[in-house]
Amino acid sequence: MFTAEQIASIINARIEGDANASVRSFSRIEDAKPGDLSFLANPKYEEFLYTSKASVIIINQNFELKQPVPATLLRAADPYSSFATLLKLYQEHKNSLTIGIEENAYVSEKAEIGENVYIGAFAYISDGVKIGKNAKIFPGVFLGKQVEVGENTELFPNVVIYNECKIGNNCTVHSGTVIGADGFGFAPQQDGTFQKVPQIGNVLIEDNVEIGANTTIDRATIGSTTIKSGAKIDNLVQIAHNAEIGPNTVIAAQAGISGSTKLGRNIMIGGQAGLVGHIHIADFVRINAQSGVSKSILEQKKAVTGTPAFDYSAALRSQSVARRLPELEQRIIELEKLVKSLKKR
Amino acid sequence: MFTAEQIASIINARIEGDANASVRSFSRIEDAKPGDLSFLANPKYEEFLYTSKASVIIINQNFELKQPVPATLLRAADPYSSFATLLKLYQEHKNSLTIGIEENAYVSEKAEIGENVYIGAFAYISDGVKIGKNAKIFPGVFLGKQVEVGENTELFPNVVIYNECKIGNNCTVHSGTVIGADGFGFAPQQDGTFQKVPQIGNVLIEDNVEIGANTTIDRATIGSTTIKSGAKIDNLVQIAHNAEIGPNTVIAAQAGISGSTKLGRNIMIGGQAGLVGHIHIADFVRINAQSGVSKSILEQKKAVTGTPAFDYSAALRSQSVARRLPELEQRIIELEKLVKSLKKR
Amino acid sequence: MFTAEQIASIINARIEGDANASVRSFSRIEDAKPGDLSFLANPKYEEFLYTSKASVIIINQNFELKQPVPATLLRAADPYSSFATLLKLYQEHKNSLTIGIEENAYVSEKAEIGENVYIGAFAYISDGVKIGKNAKIFPGVFLGKQVEVGENTELFPNVVIYNECKIGNNCTVHSGTVIGADGFGFAPQQDGTFQKVPQIGNVLIEDNVEIGANTTIDRATIGSTTIKSGAKIDNLVQIAHNAEIGPNTVIAAQAGISGSTKLGRNIMIGGQAGLVGHIHIADFVRINAQSGVSKSILEQKKAVTGTPAFDYSAALRSQSVARRLPELEQRIIELEKLVKSLKKR
C-alpha cells in the first residue's frame, strides 16, 4: 500500500488532489477499481480519465483537463515511462532471486559459468560456453559450442542458440526464439538441384537487446549477422544471414529482414513489413506495417508505406484515389463520349 | 471393417446403393481405393464423385447427381461434420490411453496434478501449477509458476506457458507455441534508447480453444490478454498484449493482432492478415487473407479486404480497375490530345 | 593454409596472378583482410573487387575487369558454387564426428536406431521410431510414435516431429520447426461453434530437403502433406494440411501455403508470399515476395507479383501508374473543365 505522495516522490511528479489517496495495485484506466494506480498516455483513452474509478492517475504535466477528475492526479513529464518505472519496482520486489543449477540440466565441464547464474532443468550447455554473472538460463534452453551469454541476460524456456553465437549483457530472449540457424543459401546447379552453401559465420548480439518469442535470426554465411545495442525485436520476426540491425532500432512482430540488408539506428519497422536483401536503410526511417521495401532508403527520418514502399503521405493520397478507381474510370468513359460528340459537331 | 449400413446409422444418413458395401479406411475422394470411405463437401471436387473408386461416399442430402455414381452414397445433412465424427471415433479407438508421469519429468512438490494426467519426460512443472484431470502434458513442455491447465486439455511437445497464465478445459495447444511471453512495450527515452515497460498481466484462455504450432500470445501489460471460448487459432499467429479474441472467432495462419485490439464473436480472419492496435472488430466480420485493417469495423458481418482494408466488393472492383491502369492512362492521354485539337478549332 | 594453386585444383579454376598467394580463412569481399579467400558472384559488389584486401578472389571465368585487381583471381564457371564447395570442405574438416546416445536422452526400447547415430540429451524417441545411420538428433528433439528419420539427416535442437511422419535421407531441419501438428480443419455447427475434424494423415518429406527454423508443416487430414526431393524451405514458413511441394521448389521465409495446394518443381516463392488453398502452381513459376496468389497458375515459368497476384511485368506497370494516381485524377478534372467549356462554345 502506497500513498499518492510516496509515488509522486519516486517518479518526481506534481500532486493534484488528495495526497493521501492510497493504491495497492495497477490497472488500465478503462477498468480500474478504487485502490488502483493507472496512467493516461494515449489521448485516445482520455474519455476514461473523467469516469475512471482509479484512486491515482499519472498524466502529462501539461495535459489540459476538460472536466473535473475524481482521482488524485500525478503530473509527470512522461507518464508512460513513470508507470514503467513503478511496474519495474513492483516486479523486482515480487520476483525472488532464482540462482543455481538445477539437477537435470546438462552443463559441460568445459563451460565457464559466472556467479549467481541460474540454469534450469533440461537446459543443455555445450563445451566452451561462457555465461556471465547473474544470467538466467531457463529450462530447455540449448547453447551450442563456444556460445557466449553476457551478464544479467535472460534466456527464456526453449530458446536455442547455435554454436559460436554471442549475446551481450542485459539482454532478454523470449521462448522458442532460434539464434544462429543456417542462413538460407543455396547455389543453383545445372540439373535443377541446389548445392547448400555452408554458413560458417555467427550471430552477434550487443547489449540491452530484447527479442520476442519464436523469432529467428540466422547466422552469417561468413562474418556476423549483427544486432546492435538497444535494438528491440518482437515475436515471429525473421532476420536473415548477414543482416545488420542498428542501435535502438525497433522491429514489430512478423516483419522480415532479408539477407545482407543493413539498418541504421532508431528505425521503426511495423508488423509484417518485409525488406528485400542487400539494401541500406538510413537512421530514423519509419516503415509502416505490411510495407514491402524493395530499394534502399538513404534519406534519414523518411516515412514509407505500401508495396513497393514509397513516401508515406504520397502513398496515402494514391491509396485514397485507388479506392475510387471505378468512379474515375466512369468519368473517363463520360469524357470519351462527350469528346466524341464534340468532334462530330 | 464396417458396412455402409452401420456407418449410416452412426451419422444418421440415408443409403443410396449397396447397404452391404464395406470399408476399412478413410481417403480423399480424388485418391480413394476400393474399401475406402470418402466424402464430398467442396463442389470443386464434384468431378471425382463420378470416377472415385471409394466404396462408400458421404454427400449432401440434397446434392443432385449429374451422372450415375459407382460408390454407395450416404446422404447426410452435413457431410463434412459427419466425416469428422467418424474420424474422431476412429482416432479415439486407435489412441490407447497414455497416463502417468514419466521418469525424467520435473514436477514441483508444490504443484497440484489431477487424476489420469499424463506428464512426459523433460516437461517442467513449476511451483503452484494446477493441472486438471485427464490433461496431457507432452515432453518438453514448460509450465511457469501458478499456471493453470484445465481438464482434458492437451499441450503438445515443447509448448511454453509463462507464469500465471490460465488455460481452460478441452483446449489443444500445438508444439512450439509460446503463451505469456512479455508484450512488446517500451517507453522511448530522450537519448534515443527505450525503457522496458514490465508486463505484469497474464494470458487467459477459456474452454474449447485450439491453438496451432509456433504461435505466440503475449501476456498483458496489466490485466489479461484473453482468448474466449471456442476460438480457433492457426500456426504462427501473433496475438499481442491486451488483445481480446471473441468466442468462436477463427484466425488463420500467420495473421497478426496488435495490442489492445478487441475482436467480437465468430469473426473469420484470413492468413497473413494484420490488424493495428486499439481497434474493435464487430461480430461475424470477415477479414480476407493478407488484409491490413487500420480502423475499427463496427458493422456486423461486414467483409473487408486489401491494405488498408475496405469493403470487400468495392475493393474487388477497384483492384480490377487497378490492373488496367496503364490502359486508363493511355485513354487520358488520347483525350488530352483530342481536347487540345478541339480547342484549336 | 592453402595456396591459390591448391584451391584452383580443387575447384577446377584458372589462376590469374600469383599462384603462391596463400589464404587461411574466408571473408566477404567487402570486409576481407590479407590472408582471406573471397568471391564475387553478385555484380552489385563489383566495386569491392578493385579495392578488396583479400589475397585470393574467385570470379566468373568470363568476367571482364574494368581495372586491375590486387588479389590473385581464380576464374571458375560458377564462383558461388565453388565457394560453397570450399566452405563445405572447411566445415567437414572442423566438425569432429559426434556419435552415440547421451545419458539423459529418452529412447524407447521399441525404437530402431541405425549405426553411428547421435542422440542428444533430453531428446525423446517414442515407440516404433526408426532412425537411419549417421543421423544426428540434437538435444530436446521430440520424435512421436512410428516416426522415421532417414540416413545422414540432421534434426537441430527442439525440433518436433509428430507421430507417423517420415523424413528422408540427407535432410536438415532447423531448431523449433514443427512437423505434423494437426491441420486447421473445423466443421462449422448450427450454434456457431466448430467441430474439430481429426487429422489422421501424416507428413512425408523426401530426400535432400532443408527446412529452416520455427517453420510449421501440418499433417494431412487424410493422406499426406508432401515435400518432394530437394525442396528448400526457409524459416517461419507455414505449409498447411495436404499441400504438396514439388522437387527443388524454394520457399523463402514467412511465406504461407494453404491447404491442398499443389506446387510443381523448381518454383521460387518469395518471402511473406501467401497462396490460397486448393490451387495448382506449374513448374518453374516465380512468385514475388509478399504476393497473394488467389488462383491456379497453369503456365510454366510465369512470374507474378501483387495481391491478388498477376503477371509480373504488367503488375509493375500498373504499380507505377498507381503511384501517380492523384496526378491522373487531376488530369481528369482538367479535362472535365475543358470539355465543359468546349461544350458551351
Side-chain angles (χ1 to χ4, degrees):
Chain A
M1 181 95 74
F2 291 87
T3 64
E5 192 164 14
Q6 289 170 317
I7 294 164
S9 80
I10 294 169
I11 60 170
N12 196 22
R14 182 159 49 80
I15 304 171
E16 210 168 284
D18 178 9
N20 293 317
S22 68
V23 291
R24 77 178 66 82
S25 63
F26 299 95
S27 195
R28 287 181 297 168
I29 195 163
E30 67 267 39
D31 40 39
K33 301 177 302 298
D36 285 351
L37 170 69
S38 198
F39 75 108
L40 177 70
N42 186 338
K44 235 176 145 171
Y45 291 85
E46 177 176 352
E47 56 168 312
F48 297 109
L49 178 63
Y50 307 112
T51 57
S52 177
K53 296 196 166 54
S55 298
V56 178
I57 300 174
I58 309 172
I59 63 168
N60 189 280
Q61 56 194 13
N62 303 319
F63 191 92
E64 290 185 24
L65 298 178
K66 300 204 184 92
Q67 296 174 34
V69 171
T72 297
L73 296 180
L74 298 183
R75 289 189 171 272
D78 179 350
Y80 192 41
S81 293
S82 297
F83 193 70
T85 299
L86 294 170
L87 285 174
K88 199 177 168 205
L89 287 173
Y90 167 79
Q91 210 175 37
E92 284 171 1
H93 175 74
K94 193 180 148 208
N95 290 356
S96 62
L97 196 65
T98 312
I99 59 169
I101 300 178
E102 292 186 348
E103 204 180 335
N104 286 308
Y106 169 81
V107 180
S108 161
E109 289 177 8
K110 294 177 192 159
E112 287 177 35
I113 313 297
E115 285 173 27
N116 296 323
V117 162
Y118 166 65
I119 299 179
F122 320 129
Y124 190 102
I125 314 298
S126 303
D127 296 354
V129 166
K130 290 183 190 173
I131 301 178
K133 65 183 180 191
N134 305 320
K136 290 197 195 322
I137 312 298
F138 283 88
V141 167
F142 174 88
L143 303 183
K145 290 176 187 170
Q146 267 80 45
V147 161
E148 296 182 19
V149 173
E151 299 176 3
N152 306 311
T153 284
E154 293 187 302
L155 306 181
F156 281 92
N158 293 357
V159 162
V160 173
I161 319 269
Y162 280 55
N163 55 306
E164 288 157 25
C165 295
K166 295 180 186 176
I167 320 286
N169 301 321
N170 307 310
C171 290
T172 300
V173 183
H174 284 286
S175 288
T177 282
V178 177
I179 293 173
D182 282 352
F184 198 61
F186 299 92
Q189 305 298 297
Q190 297 277 345
D191 63 356
T193 65
F194 292 88
Q195 184 190 1
K196 180 178 175 72
V197 180
Q199 306 288 307
I200 66 165
N202 72 348
V203 176
L204 202 59
I205 295 177
E206 295 185 352
D207 300 338
N208 304 310
V209 169
E210 178 150 346
I211 301 172
N214 285 348
T215 277
T216 56
I217 303 178
D218 282 351
R219 69 195 307 111
T221 311
I222 35 182
S224 298
T225 304
T226 308
I227 315 292
K228 299 273 190 178
S229 171
K232 309 296 177 193
I233 298 171
D234 201 351
N235 301 336
L236 294 165
V237 170
Q238 152 73 355
I239 296 181
H241 47 182
N242 290 100
E244 184 180 311
I245 310 301
N248 304 321
T249 279
V250 175
I251 303 180
Q254 297 176 317
I257 313 297
S258 302
S260 299
T261 281
K262 283 190 169 40
L263 275 61
R265 66 163 56 241
N266 288 83
I267 291 166
M268 308 279 266
I269 297 185
Q272 299 182 335
L275 282 69
V276 301
H278 299 274
I279 60 174
H280 285 61
I281 308 295
D283 298 346
F284 303 100
V285 162
R286 284 162 166 270
I287 295 171
N288 200 29
Q290 288 193 332
S291 299
V293 181
S294 54
K295 289 179 187 168
S296 288
I297 302 174
L298 301 175
E299 183 189 335
Q300 291 198 4
K301 299 191 185 176
K302 178 127 187 122
V304 299
T305 193
T307 301
F310 69 114
D311 179 74
Y312 186 78
S313 314
L316 289 199
R317 281 193 301 273
S318 289
Q319 282 169 3
S320 140
V321 181
R323 293 185 180 207
R324 292 183 284 105
L325 271 176
E327 178 222 301
L328 237 63
E329 185 175 34
Q330 202 49 51
R331 283 159 70 186
I332 293 172
I333 292 169
E334 289 302 319
L335 280 166
E336 286 168 338
K337 279 187 206 156
L338 281 169
V339 168
K340 205 172 170 188
S341 73
L342 285 171
K343 255 177 81 180
K344 280 196 190 140
R345 277 205 263 171
Chain B
M1 179 96 74
F2 290 88
T3 64
E5 191 164 13
Q6 289 171 315
I7 294 164
S9 80
I10 294 169
I11 60 171
N12 196 22
R14 183 160 48 81
I15 305 171
E16 211 167 284
D18 178 9
N20 293 318
S22 68
V23 291
R24 77 177 67 82
S25 63
F26 298 95
S27 195
R28 287 181 297 168
I29 195 163
E30 65 268 38
D31 42 38
K33 301 175 303 297
D36 284 352
L37 170 70
S38 198
F39 76 107
L40 177 70
N42 186 339
K44 238 179 145 170
Y45 292 85
E46 177 176 352
E47 55 168 314
F48 297 109
L49 179 63
Y50 308 111
T51 57
S52 176
K53 295 197 166 54
S55 297
V56 178
I57 300 175
I58 309 172
I59 62 168
N60 190 281
Q61 55 195 14
N62 303 318
F63 190 91
E64 290 185 25
L65 299 178
K66 299 206 184 91
Q67 295 174 36
V69 171
T72 297
L73 297 180
L74 297 184
R75 289 191 171 271
D78 180 349
Y80 191 41
S81 293
S82 297
F83 194 70
T85 299
L86 294 169
L87 286 174
K88 200 178 167 203
L89 288 173
Y90 167 80
Q91 209 174 38
E92 284 171 1
H93 175 75
K94 193 180 148 207
N95 291 356
S96 62
L97 195 66
T98 312
I99 58 170
I101 299 178
E102 292 186 348
E103 204 179 337
N104 286 309
Y106 170 80
V107 180
S108 162
E109 289 177 9
K110 294 176 192 158
E112 287 177 35
I113 312 297
E115 285 173 26
N116 296 323
V117 162
Y118 166 66
I119 299 178
F122 319 129
Y124 190 101
I125 314 298
S126 304
D127 296 354
V129 167
K130 290 183 191 172
I131 302 178
K133 66 182 181 192
N134 304 319
K136 291 196 195 321
I137 311 297
F138 283 88
V141 167
F142 174 87
L143 302 183
K145 289 176 188 170
Q146 266 81 44
V147 161
E148 295 182 20
V149 174
E151 299 176 4
N152 307 310
T153 284
E154 294 187 300
L155 306 180
F156 281 93
N158 293 358
V159 162
V160 173
I161 319 269
Y162 280 55
N163 54 307
E164 288 157 25
C165 295
K166 294 180 186 176
I167 320 285
N169 301 321
N170 308 309
C171 291
T172 300
V173 182
H174 284 285
S175 288
T177 282
V178 177
I179 293 173
D182 282 354
F184 197 63
F186 300 92
Q189 304 299 298
Q190 297 277 345
D191 63 357
T193 64
F194 291 90
Q195 182 190 2
K196 180 177 175 73
V197 180
Q199 306 287 307
I200 66 164
N202 73 347
V203 177
L204 202 59
I205 295 178
E206 295 185 354
D207 300 338
N208 305 309
V209 169
E210 178 150 345
I211 301 172
N214 285 348
T215 277
T216 57
I217 303 178
D218 282 352
R219 70 194 307 111
T221 310
I222 35 181
S224 297
T225 304
T226 309
I227 316 291
K228 298 274 189 178
S229 171
K232 310 295 177 192
I233 298 171
D234 202 352
N235 301 336
L236 294 166
V237 170
Q238 152 73 354
I239 295 181
H241 48 182
N242 290 99
E244 184 180 311
I245 311 300
N248 304 320
T249 278
V250 175
I251 303 180
Q254 296 177 317
I257 313 298
S258 302
S260 299
T261 280
K262 282 190 169 40
L263 274 61
R265 65 163 55 241
N266 288 83
I267 291 166
M268 308 278 266
I269 298 184
Q272 298 183 335
L275 282 69
V276 302
H278 300 274
I279 60 174
H280 284 62
I281 308 294
D283 299 345
F284 303 101
V285 162
R286 285 163 166 268
I287 295 171
N288 200 29
Q290 288 193 332
S291 300
V293 181
S294 55
K295 287 178 189 169
S296 288
I297 301 176
L298 301 175
E299 182 190 333
Q300 290 198 4
K301 300 191 185 176
K302 179 131 185 118
V304 300
T305 193
T307 301
F310 68 114
D311 178 73
Y312 186 77
S313 314
L316 290 199
R317 281 193 300 273
S318 289
Q319 282 169 2
S320 140
V321 182
R323 291 185 180 208
R324 292 182 284 104
L325 272 176
E327 177 222 294
L328 237 64
E329 185 175 35
Q330 202 49 49
R331 284 159 68 186
I332 293 172
I333 292 168
E334 289 303 317
L335 281 166
E336 286 168 337
K337 281 187 204 155
L338 280 170
V339 168
K340 205 173 170 187
S341 72
L342 285 171
K343 257 176 80 181
K344 281 195 190 140
R345 277 205 261 171
Chain C
M1 179 95 74
F2 290 87
T3 64
E5 192 164 13
Q6 289 170 315
I7 294 165
S9 79
I10 294 170
I11 60 170
N12 196 21
R14 184 159 48 81
I15 304 172
E16 212 167 284
D18 178 8
N20 293 317
S22 68
V23 291
R24 78 176 67 81
S25 63
F26 298 95
S27 194
R28 287 181 297 168
I29 195 163
E30 66 268 39
D31 42 38
K33 302 175 302 298
D36 284 352
L37 170 70
S38 199
F39 76 107
L40 177 70
N42 186 338
K44 236 177 145 171
Y45 291 86
E46 177 176 352
E47 56 169 312
F48 297 108
L49 178 63
Y50 308 110
T51 57
S52 176
K53 296 197 165 55
S55 298
V56 178
I57 301 175
I58 309 172
I59 62 167
N60 190 280
Q61 56 194 11
N62 303 318
F63 191 92
E64 290 185 24
L65 299 178
K66 300 205 184 91
Q67 295 174 36
V69 172
T72 297
L73 296 180
L74 296 184
R75 289 189 172 272
D78 179 350
Y80 192 41
S81 293
S82 297
F83 194 70
T85 299
L86 294 170
L87 285 174
K88 199 178 168 204
L89 287 173
Y90 168 80
Q91 210 175 37
E92 285 171 0
H93 175 73
K94 193 180 149 210
N95 291 355
S96 61
L97 195 65
T98 312
I99 58 170
I101 300 177
E102 293 186 348
E103 205 179 336
N104 286 308
Y106 169 80
V107 181
S108 161
E109 289 177 7
K110 294 177 192 159
E112 287 177 35
I113 312 297
E115 286 174 25
N116 296 324
V117 162
Y118 166 66
I119 298 179
F122 319 129
Y124 189 101
I125 315 298
S126 303
D127 296 354
V129 166
K130 290 183 192 173
I131 301 178
K133 65 183 181 192
N134 304 320
K136 291 197 194 324
I137 312 297
F138 283 89
V141 167
F142 174 88
L143 303 184
K145 290 176 187 170
Q146 267 80 44
V147 162
E148 296 182 19
V149 174
E151 299 176 2
N152 306 311
T153 283
E154 293 188 301
L155 306 181
F156 280 93
N158 292 358
V159 162
V160 173
I161 320 269
Y162 280 55
N163 55 306
E164 288 157 26
C165 295
K166 294 179 187 177
I167 319 285
N169 301 320
N170 307 310
C171 291
T172 299
V173 182
H174 283 285
S175 287
T177 282
V178 177
I179 293 174
D182 283 351
F184 198 62
F186 300 92
Q189 304 299 296
Q190 297 277 345
D191 63 357
T193 65
F194 292 89
Q195 183 190 1
K196 179 178 176 71
V197 180
Q199 306 287 308
I200 65 164
N202 72 348
V203 176
L204 202 59
I205 295 177
E206 295 185 353
D207 301 337
N208 304 310
V209 169
E210 178 150 345
I211 301 172
N214 284 349
T215 277
T216 56
I217 304 179
D218 281 353
R219 69 193 308 110
T221 311
I222 34 180
S224 297
T225 303
T226 309
I227 314 292
K228 299 273 190 179
S229 172
K232 310 296 177 193
I233 298 171
D234 201 352
N235 301 335
L236 294 167
V237 170
Q238 152 73 355
I239 296 182
H241 48 181
N242 290 99
E244 184 180 310
I245 310 300
N248 303 322
T249 279
V250 175
I251 303 179
Q254 297 176 317
I257 314 296
S258 302
S260 299
T261 280
K262 282 190 169 39
L263 275 61
R265 65 164 53 244
N266 287 84
I267 291 166
M268 309 278 267
I269 298 183
Q272 298 183 336
L275 282 69
V276 301
H278 299 275
I279 60 173
H280 285 63
I281 308 294
D283 299 344
F284 303 101
V285 162
R286 285 162 166 271
I287 295 170
N288 200 30
Q290 288 193 333
S291 300
V293 181
S294 54
K295 288 179 188 168
S296 288
I297 301 175
L298 302 175
E299 183 190 335
Q300 291 198 3
K301 299 191 184 175
K302 179 130 186 116
V304 299
T305 193
T307 301
F310 68 113
D311 178 74
Y312 186 78
S313 314
L316 290 200
R317 281 192 300 271
S318 289
Q319 282 169 2
S320 139
V321 181
R323 290 185 181 208
R324 292 182 285 105
L325 272 175
E327 177 222 300
L328 236 63
E329 186 176 34
Q330 202 48 52
R331 283 159 69 185
I332 292 173
I333 292 169
E334 289 303 319
L335 280 167
E336 287 168 337
K337 280 187 204 157
L338 280 170
V339 168
K340 205 172 169 187
S341 72
L342 284 172
K343 256 176 80 180
K344 280 192 191 143
R345 277 205 260 170

